[in-house]
Amino acid sequence: MHDNQTITLGRVTRVLTERLRPAVYSQPQPLDIAAHAVDGEPIPSAQGLSSEYAPIKVGDRWGRAWGTTWLRLTGEVPESFAGRRVEILADLGFDPNMPGFQAEGLVYTADGEAVRSLNPRAQWIPVSPQARGGERIEYYVEAASNPVLLDYHPFLPTEEGDVLTSSDEELYRIRRVDVCVFEEEVYELVHDVEVLHQLAVELPEESARRARILRSLNAALDRVDLQDIPGTAAAAREELREVLASPAEPSAHRLSAVGHAHIDSAWLWPLRETVRKVSRTSSSMVTLLDEDSDFVYAMSSAQQFAWMKQDRPEVFARVKKAVEDGRFVPIGGMWIEPDAVLPSGESFIRQISQGQRFFREEFGIECRGAWLPDSFGYSGALPQILVGSGFDWFLTQKISWNQVNRFPHHTFLWEGNDGSRIFTHFPPMDTYNAQLSGEEVQRAAKQFKEKSVARHSLAPTGWGDGGGGTTREMLARAKRMADLEGSPRVVFESPNEFFDKAMAELPDPGVWRGELYLELHRGTFTTQHRTKQGNRTSERLLAEAELWAATAAARTGHAYPYDEFDALWQEVLLLQFHDILPGTSIAWVHREAEERYARVAASLRRIIEEALAALGVSAGPDGLDAAPVGAELALNAAPVARRGVPAAAVAVADPAAPVSARAEGNSFVLESASVRVEIDDRGLVQSLVDRATGREAIAPGRAGNALQLHQDFPNMWDAWDVDEHYFAMREDLDGPAEVALDGEAVVVRRSFGDSSIEQRLSLSDDGRVLVVDCDIDWQEEEKFLKLAFPVEVFTDEVVAETQFGHHRRSNHTNTSWEAARFETHAQRWFLVREPDFGVAFLNESSHGFDVARESEGRDVVQNARFSLLRAPKFPDPRADRGRHRMRFGVMVGATPASATEAGWALQSPLRAASGAAPRALATSQDAAVIVSAVKLADDRSGDVVVRVYESTGSRVSTSIELADVPVGAVIGTDLIERPGDAIETVRMPDGTTHVPVTLRPFEVKTIRVKR
Ligand SMILES: [Zn+2]
């Protein structure tokens, strides 16, 4: 036979696009349109429905950036439509390529019932499956004119990203609002043809299956009368029946499609818009669940359910019913989908405890797995946190975005820092917005790394971000691919059903040890510093407020502010969302985050003050400006002892270490019993000596406190990315500076570009750490500022604090995996170390750093550099511009243990106090074991919950001392306070109670003390 495959493919493409798809809707009749443009922020739906409307027409403009316009669509069903399925087609001026990133609407009936969302990929409103002629049509659309900020690369700076700077221009133009007949047979034909066409394209050219499909498609199109498509569609479908009925091969890959919409909790829109996006998408999804019994939809983030409950109770009621039926499936078990490297360990636990509690209380369920498809890398502390909170699976997908290396698994065990392992899946389709196209399903099957031993993978299916979620078209494709020769089998099911199958078929999965580093988006450890500082300050104050409030409650009956703590935690957890904390949102979002953090801090400081007052303590100011301690008492909120003040206690402090600050010739010297620092007249640290060993840390011929400014213009994602080539363009800010002694500090003032910086170099009050306080007026564009300390330390690894411990990363570039990690992150410190000498680098609020391993002859220099500030222009055109205060520390003679202590101390200075001197409620008897949280139990029983972790990577048996508190039974719990085994305690002669604990390296344990 002659080969006509190419001609057939071309024919199908054209007929499908130009004739069949448009023929799904017939006999369009325009409806009347009226509009009410809301002045300012969104209004409640009842108010929108009852507003004054003015007529507008097709072709009219509507909607300035971030505005809301209520549209009223009225008319009647033509008599000729009687008995037919009738829908409205409403195109508000959509761009079909950008679902979720532009205008959207929520459709209401005249009675105020939310029907479904209106968006670029679902421009229809159901009228009736069997219409009556003359039937009255009246719908309302709450339409949001969100500006398009990200469409086609390049992503250019824009002022539309904040309502304070956006234009007044009306952004959209109404294209059509018609009532139409929905031609069901044509709709089915479209999907028959589309699925077979996309399958044929994917099959090998020489395959018999492909040849048969194309022959059938040709025959089907021969039956289509292009002048009467509805009248001939059934005959055309008949030609396709046989090829559609041919079953899948026994070895076919099996795709578990999960209906989904990845809705970023804020990003290129403000938080308040996400509230509406969630309700719009959810209203469509419950409608689709009603219409198709095969469909299953899964949604993460307790916060998003909570918004819906608050903002659109009518939608939430339908969702709740569908959750009870097991078809609208809450997943992930967290409050939101957070950034997965920057939050503290306690924050990760609260993401889960707050999330699971919401799901338990609202729906009577708990989630089995963690769902973080889109965060920018995953901490090696997470496996322990997930397993320790009762999860048995983890899903992500983002590592497929790696710039360099392909990850070796799709289904595997992920082993964390402490050895905990969790069953993990990366969808091999490489997307969390699957459409179930032929290309996608084949990609999943081809790429699946475990295909020699397993055959199940997951496909999160649907448009995210307000694009409307799963569409009926996706379901139509899935039905045809349920059992189709040449195609993977597709079935809609819940994530738990998928994971059960995946676990059963792969009893011995491969193992990946340690963090999941994303080889992309390395700027997110640094961008939008004020947001990151707000998070760190909030985490610190939350820990302190819970500590003192729990202590006061247990000892004095002080009222523990449960509700307020829940609200404050939820606020902080929300702002850890994976486009807020990483610094990748629009200006509006970061402006609001800073305002919210200020309110959180004010509330927490008040809670702390009240709790301390109940304990008889009055304390001086908190934060970086904490007054130097000369007072009678010192308050230590950190979980490490300092200057004789036990952790989490108030006591008389030992005197601060004597420090000498003096000028010597052209230099300045800071000296204590521990270190000697020499600073030259340009403000550079020429010498940093550990006096215990006499060891000089600064590499010969080099200088520390060296500010380095790089050009920073990544290839694609400005706020997200630092691309490797940034390194080559560097300006050393080492010219003349104003340097002067100020008390026990050396102050360095320097200007560069349009910016200026004042650095205050001093020694910590224990005399062990060189503290560098930076006060920066940052006015650069597309620059990256680093603070370097080149040190002479022979090592090929960097130790970095992570949540609940630390981990090691190679800092050579032997393999592509190591080379790709040229910018990484830490919690409070990182460290380079020889067996008997180390230098630790401490931060108070910044996470990004790099350590370049540089060779000077046979000496190896570790050029350790803090990442201070970036200045990307998209999506916030002025990200990071303005004033910043940040604190760093350099500690010579450091070990992981001393760095851990110094890291806590740097971010939580001792505070002057007066009044009583309460002992710590819970104290670890071993410095390696940190008491990281003291709080009252979530169940409001009044029990005290104490969380501890092993911080050095050792095995430790010790005890936790409980002082001045009645102690009943003590039990271990999991991380979210579900009860475990009883623990035998020991009553000590001094009246305290000792709770024995044995910990593996980096193990986290939770103890519950009944009262
Ligand atoms: Zn996302």
Side-chain angles (χ1 to χ4, degrees):
M1 290 172 77
H2 296 293
D3 178 4
N4 62 356
Q5 290 197 5
T6 308
I7 302 288
T8 302
L9 286 169
R11 181 188 187 192
V12 174
T13 302
R14 180 163 192 201
V15 174
L16 184 62
T17 311
E18 295 183 23
R19 298 301 166 90
L20 298 184
R21 285 203 185 107
V24 170
Y25 288 99
S26 68
Q27 307 170 56
Q29 302 292 322
L31 293 177
D32 294 326
I33 317 166
H36 168 78
V38 176
D39 198 15
E41 286 294 280
I43 55 176
S45 56
Q47 196 184 334
L49 290 163
S50 60
S51 294
E52 289 284 315
Y53 285 78
I56 61 167
K57 57 186 188 308
V58 167
D60 284 355
R61 286 197 163 276
W62 69 280
R64 56 180 173 68
W66 307 117
T68 299
T69 303
W70 281 81
L71 299 170
R72 188 179 65 205
L73 318 178
T74 50
E76 60 184 40
V77 175
E79 292 296 340
S80 62
F81 290 10
R84 305 295 306 276
R85 178 165 169 176
V86 172
E87 294 183 352
I88 296 166
L89 262 191
D91 182 346
L92 306 183
F94 297 124
D95 175 348
N97 282 330
M98 292 296 138
F101 294 172
Q102 56 174 296
E104 296 168 47
L106 179 55
V107 179
Y108 286 87
T109 63
D111 305 334
E113 188 193 336
V115 180
R116 68 184 319 281
S117 75
L118 196 62
N119 59 66
R121 296 296 179 127
Q123 302 179 10
W124 55 277
I125 302 167
V127 175
S128 172
Q130 228 177 350
R132 283 181 292 109
E135 195 177 327
R136 164 90 183 154
I137 295 172
E138 182 175 354
Y139 284 100
Y140 293 77
V141 182
E142 182 196 17
S145 39
N146 301 331
V148 177
L149 303 182
L150 180 145
D151 42 19
Y152 305 95
H153 195 249
F155 309 140
L156 298 174
T158 169
E159 296 293 344
E160 298 284 45
D162 192 332
V163 73
L164 299 183
T165 56
S166 58
S167 66
D168 285 333
E169 188 193 344
E170 292 190 311
L171 302 174
Y172 296 94
R173 193 189 291 277
I174 293 183
R175 270 198 210 107
R176 70 182 291 187
V177 178
D178 297 329
V179 58
C180 312
V181 170
F182 180 84
E183 300 286 354
E184 296 180 61
E185 198 66 26
V186 178
Y187 176 83
E188 299 298 338
L189 175 64
V190 163
H191 290 96
D192 288 350
V193 171
E194 184 185 87
V195 165
L196 289 169
H197 178 232
Q198 292 182 356
L199 171 58
V201 168
E202 292 298 315
L203 291 170
E205 274 185 39
E206 63 279 11
S207 115
R209 172 68 170 157
R210 171 176 156 124
R212 280 176 186 273
I213 290 171
L214 291 178
R215 192 203 61 78
S216 302
L217 284 169
N218 221 4
L221 296 191
D222 289 345
R223 298 295 202 100
V224 175
D225 178 350
L226 295 179
Q227 272 63 54
D228 181 16
I229 294 172
T232 52
R237 292 192 70 204
E238 193 55 39
E239 293 289 343
L240 300 173
R241 187 177 306 279
E242 192 182 319
V243 282
L244 280 168
S246 184
E249 297 84 346
S251 62
H253 186 72
R254 288 165 187 258
L255 270 169
S256 302
V258 174
H260 190 53
H262 178 80
I263 301 181
D264 291 296
S265 290
W267 179 25
L268 301 171
W269 48 87
L271 285 161
R272 67 93 161 138
E273 192 57 27
T274 318
V275 176
R276 301 200 294 176
K277 283 176 183 281
V278 169
S279 289
R280 289 182 201 120
T281 297
S282 297
S283 70
S284 282
M285 294 301 92
V286 284
T287 300
L288 196 56
L289 286 168
D290 286 344
E291 287 167 359
D292 191 322
S293 59
D294 291 341
F295 180 45
V296 179
Y297 183 74
M299 182 171 124
S300 76
S301 305
Q303 169 72 84
Q304 297 193 353
F305 287 87
W307 278 334
M308 194 160 36
K309 184 181 177 189
Q310 166 90 30
D311 184 66
R312 291 289 190 278
E314 68 277 12
V315 180
F316 186 71
R318 293 176 69 198
V319 166
K320 195 162 179 166
K321 170 77 177 51
V323 171
E324 279 165 23
D325 296 342
R327 299 186 55 217
F328 196 113
V329 185
I331 50 170
M334 295 191 185
W335 188 248
I336 44 98
E337 293 181 17
D339 180 274
V341 295
L342 304 179
S344 70
E346 193 61 29
S347 287
F348 282 135
I349 291 172
R350 302 308 174 93
Q351 288 285 357
I352 300 166
S353 63
Q354 291 281 348
Q356 292 284 51
R357 189 207 304 174
F358 181 90
F359 293 134
R360 205 164 48 232
E361 289 177 356
E362 288 297 333
F363 306 125
I365 59 160
E366 287 186 350
C367 302
R368 277 179 49 199
W371 179 276
L372 296 175
D374 189 29
S375 306
F376 309 148
Y378 302 87
S379 163
L382 276 173
Q384 177 176 208
I385 293 168
L386 301 180
V387 171
S389 301
F391 287 132
D392 60 19
W393 56 259
F394 173 61
L395 179 133
T396 182
Q397 177 278 323
K398 201 69 183 182
I399 302 299
S400 72
W401 287 41
N402 271 0
Q403 271 176 327
V404 181
N405 296 289
R406 296 297 291 175
F407 197 81
H409 304 290
H410 286 106
T411 305
F412 61 103
L413 293 176
W414 178 25
E415 180 180 302
N417 292 343
D418 71 314
S420 297
R421 292 178 172 187
I422 188 154
F423 191 92
T424 298
H425 181 68
F426 295 176
M429 199 180 275
D430 288 355
T431 179
Y432 43 84
N433 294 307
Q435 312 307 307
L436 301 182
S437 70
E439 190 275 327
E440 284 177 340
V441 301
Q442 298 288 345
R443 187 190 331 144
K446 285 177 190 159
Q447 294 196 151
F448 185 46
K449 296 275 191 192
E450 276 65 37
K451 63 184 158 200
S452 67
V453 285
R455 60 180 180 180
H456 286 88
S457 74
L458 190 148
T461 303
W463 296 109
D465 288 336
T470 317
T471 63
R472 61 186 176 188
E473 288 77 13
M474 296 169 197
L475 295 177
R477 292 196 274 273
K479 284 182 199 307
R480 286 162 177 81
M481 291 188 286
D483 188 9
L484 181 64
E485 184 188 350
S487 170
R489 288 169 178 265
V490 181
V491 60
F492 269 88
E493 57 190 354
S494 74
N496 283 340
E497 287 173 291
F498 161 76
F499 274 95
D500 284 341
K501 291 175 185 173
M503 287 176 194
E505 72 176 352
L506 196 56
D508 190 20
V511 178
W512 177 267
R513 155 104 193 134
E515 68 176 327
L516 296 170
Y517 177 88
L518 178 63
E519 296 170 358
L520 196 71
H521 296 357
R522 302 167 182 90
T524 61
F525 316 139
T526 303
T527 307
Q528 297 280 12
H529 170 256
R530 281 183 291 260
T531 297
K532 291 175 167 64
Q533 192 168 42
N535 180 63
R536 281 281 284 277
T537 303
S538 302
E539 288 176 334
R540 173 175 68 77
L541 290 173
L542 277 162
E544 183 177 351
E546 286 186 337
L547 166 71
W548 301 129
T551 307
R555 288 188 183 151
T556 73
H558 177 70
Y560 191 79
Y562 290 105
D563 288 336
E564 215 176 348
F565 275 135
D566 280 341
L568 291 164
W569 264 115
Q570 288 169 8
E571 182 83 336
V572 172
L573 298 175
L574 168 60
L575 298 175
Q576 290 171 350
F577 175 72
H578 67 257
D579 280 305
I580 304 179
L581 185 54
T584 50
S585 284
I586 52 174
W588 189 345
V589 174
H590 290 288
R591 172 168 62 79
E592 194 183 338
E594 289 165 33
E595 292 161 6
R596 287 176 176 233
Y597 281 130
R599 289 197 294 271
V600 166
S603 297
L604 289 169
R605 290 191 168 112
R606 176 181 45 73
I607 292 172
I608 290 169
E609 214 171 276
E610 288 168 1
L612 288 172
L615 292 166
V617 180
S618 163
D622 149 78
L624 296 185
D625 293 323
V629 177
E632 45 196 292
L633 290 172
L635 178 147
N636 179 12
V640 294
R642 285 177 289 163
R643 284 181 46 200
V645 185
V650 182
V652 178
D654 297 340
V659 170
S660 139
R662 59 186 187 275
E664 280 186 8
N666 285 339
S667 293
F668 300 87
V669 173
L670 297 174
E671 193 164 19
S672 70
S674 306
V675 294
R676 182 181 186 281
V677 187
E678 194 179 319
I679 300 154
D680 72 9
D681 59 0
R682 294 171 301 158
L684 301 178
V685 172
Q686 294 293 347
S687 168
L688 177 54
V689 174
D690 174 30
R691 294 190 64 193
T693 57
R695 174 85 180 249
E696 171 65 72
I698 301 294
R702 308 285 291 268
N705 195 36
L707 289 161
Q708 300 179 335
L709 192 63
H710 292 270
Q711 183 169 292
D712 181 16
F713 191 61
N715 288 359
M716 189 160 180
W717 297 95
D718 291 13
W720 291 256
D721 285 349
V722 176
D723 281 340
E724 202 173 359
H725 48 73
Y726 96 93
F727 203 78
M729 296 278 285
R730 188 181 95 189
E731 181 189 351
D732 290 330
L733 305 177
D734 56 1
E738 215 183 292
V739 186
L741 271 180
D742 179 13
E744 293 183 346
V746 175
V747 176
V748 182
R749 292 189 188 88
R750 185 183 295 286
S751 296
F752 55 95
D754 296 324
S755 307
S756 60
I757 180 168
E758 180 182 301
Q759 292 179 303
R760 188 176 177 86
L761 284 69
S762 61
L763 298 182
S764 59
D765 57 11
D766 62 3
R768 298 194 57 191
V769 177
L770 168 62
V771 177
V772 183
D773 278 299
C774 298
D775 188 340
I776 309 172
D777 179 23
W778 177 245
Q779 300 296 347
E780 303 307 295
E781 287 190 351
E782 294 167 347
K783 292 287 194 298
F784 192 7
L785 182 65
K786 292 261 184 179
L787 179 64
F789 284 87
V791 295
E792 189 178 36
V793 174
F794 185 78
T795 181
D796 56 10
E797 64 180 21
V798 178
V799 189
E801 191 188 33
T802 180
Q803 299 81 3
F804 300 127
H806 56 263
H807 64 163
R808 293 159 199 280
R809 296 188 185 100
S810 296
N811 75 327
H812 54 71
T813 53
N814 284 1
T815 72
S816 56
W817 292 87
E818 287 140 1
R821 292 177 193 174
F822 56 83
E823 174 80 12
T824 59
H825 53 84
Q827 288 285 307
R828 280 167 291 263
W829 56 266
F830 63 95
L831 167 72
V832 289
R833 190 176 178 221
E834 295 171 8
D836 58 354
F837 180 75
V839 186
F841 301 88
L842 319 169
N843 73 76
E844 148 274 332
S845 60
S846 68
H847 294 273
F849 73 93
D850 76 291
V851 180
R853 199 166 177 277
E854 298 169 1
S855 174
E856 305 257 343
R858 282 174 57 185
D859 289 329
V860 173
V861 174
Q862 311 292 342
N863 194 20
R865 304 195 306 164
F866 298 103
S867 302
L868 269 55
L869 292 166
R870 299 185 65 225
K873 293 170 73 173
F874 180 86
D876 175 358
R878 280 175 294 279
D880 271 328
R881 264 53 128 223
R883 187 171 175 211
H884 299 266
R885 298 183 62 201
M886 45 216 312
R887 175 171 291 175
F888 300 95
V890 181
M891 183 187 198
V892 287
T895 63
S898 64
T900 300
E901 291 181 8
W904 285 108
L906 187 85
Q907 70 162 29
S908 186
L910 284 179
R911 295 158 65 183
S914 57
R919 287 198 284 179
L921 190 155
T923 310
S924 163
Q925 302 300 294
D926 187 314
V929 176
I930 305 272
V931 177
S932 60
V934 176
K935 62 191 279 287
L936 293 196
D938 278 353
D939 64 7
R940 306 194 175 193
S941 59
D943 291 354
V944 175
V945 169
V946 178
R947 185 135 35 235
V948 301
Y949 72 95
E950 197 290 314
S951 65
T952 66
S954 313
R955 286 172 202 281
V956 178
S957 282
T958 183
S959 56
I960 306 302
E961 179 184 280
L962 303 172
D964 303 341
V965 61
V967 176
V970 175
I971 58 167
T973 73
D974 74 357
L975 295 179
I976 59 171
E977 301 178 20
R978 287 179 292 211
D981 295 335
I983 302 173
E984 290 284 330
T985 59
V986 184
R987 188 82 180 159
M988 305 303 282
D990 65 355
T992 63
T993 301
H994 279 202
V995 182
V997 287
T998 299
L999 294 136
R1000 290 181 286 103
F1002 304 129
E1003 187 176 6
V1004 188
K1005 275 197 170 161
T1006 309
I1007 296 158
R1008 179 171 180 143
V1009 183
K1010 294 187 186 283
R1011 294 169 58 206

